[in-house]
Each structure stands twice: as structure tokens, then as C-alpha cells.
Amino acid sequence: MTIDIGRFSEAPSPSAEEPASPAGEEKKPPKLVYGSAEEFLHEQLLPTYVRDVDGRAAKWCIEWYFHPEAISRIEALWRAWEHLRLDGATGISVWFKDHADHHMSVLLDPRGPFYKCDMQKHRDPEHLEPKKAPAGWFPDVRTIPV
């Protein structure tokens, strides 16, 4: 039985790599498979990272895009996937172990960014409102001479 693991299988083999660029020429970055984090989420991530989202052990928000943390994590997952898909040897393993498992565990955690939401309704999260530290405690390091 063959299991479709998505677009990782499209990674170029070492023999299919382009020859080295002549001196002075910059090598073009590989073409992206997905044009956005949202496309990646719908086309690759959620179809391959399937979990039972029951609201107790795992939570998700149908309007995930209203959660800044979710957007950042999904963007990070997409960018890591686009990079690691090119490694035909261990790319998929590294992506799952170091990226997908970590970020999806945080996203799906009942106390994670979707803690107030359920599969039918989005509820705005409560944002932390920190006080500013006293002046001088955190100097702007960009202004300190090296």
C-alpha cells in the first residue's frame, strides 16, 4: 500500500539538480509550491495532519485567521515545508519532527490560541496587556555603538 505524503515526493533528485551557475551569476531560488500560508494550510497541512478535534483533547477555530499566533505558526510551517521539501533524504522527517508536530501540538492544544473557540464559532482571544518597564531598563541596542 502506498500512502500519499503530499508534495514532498516532488523534491528533485540529486541527479536532476541544475548545473552550477557560472561565476558571478546568482542561482534563482526554487519556485514555491504554494503561494500563501492559507493555500498551504488547505492543500497540504490539514489533509496530511489529520487529528480528531473534539474540543476537549484538541481545539481548532474555523476562523483561524483571526488569531495572530495561528497565522505566525502556519506561516512558519509553510516556509519550513517549502525549504525542507527540497531535501529528498530526510526533509519530510525533519519537517514533521521539528516543525509540524511542534506547532500543531501548540495550535491544537485546548489551552492554545483557540482556547475560547469551537468548530462552530470564533471568539476573540484575550490579549496580554503588559505594562511598560521603567525607562532605561531595556535600552535600544540599535543605538549602542559596537
Side-chain angles (χ1 to χ4, degrees), residues 14-22 25-28:
S15 61
E17 288 181 16
E18 295 177 20
S21 301
E25 267 188 50
E26 286 190 35
K27 188 176 177 182
K28 291 182 181 178

Side-chain angles (χ1 to χ4, degrees), residues 9-72:
S9 57
E10 293 181 9
S13 64
S15 61
E17 288 181 16
E18 295 177 20
S21 301
E25 267 188 50
E26 286 190 35
K27 188 176 177 182
K28 291 182 181 178
K31 188 175 178 183
L32 296 174
V33 173
Y34 299 106
S36 69
E38 181 182 30
E39 182 183 6
F40 169 75
L41 176 78
H42 290 282
E43 300 293 324
Q44 177 67 38
L45 182 59
L46 295 182
T48 58
Y49 204 94
V50 179
R51 296 294 185 272
D52 184 16
V53 180
D54 61 5
R56 292 182 316 270
K59 293 195 83 148
W60 185 260
C61 179
I62 58 170
E63 295 181 304
W64 60 272
Y65 40 82
F66 284 128
H67 298 268
E69 180 182 356
I71 292 170
S72 294

Side-chain angles (χ1 to χ4, degrees), residues 77 84 93-103:
L77 285 167
L84 290 168
S93 179
V94 170
W95 183 78
F96 271 106
K97 178 180 73 68
D98 292 348
H99 302 278
D101 289 341
H102 171 74
H103 289 295

Side-chain angles (χ1 to χ4, degrees), residues 101-122:
D101 289 341
H102 171 74
H103 289 295
M104 291 303 287
S105 291
V106 172
L107 287 171
L108 294 172
D109 189 298
R111 296 173 298 157
F114 306 132
Y115 73 99
K116 286 185 126 185
C117 302
D118 57 46
M119 292 296 290
Q120 286 76 41
K121 184 167 170 80
H122 164 76

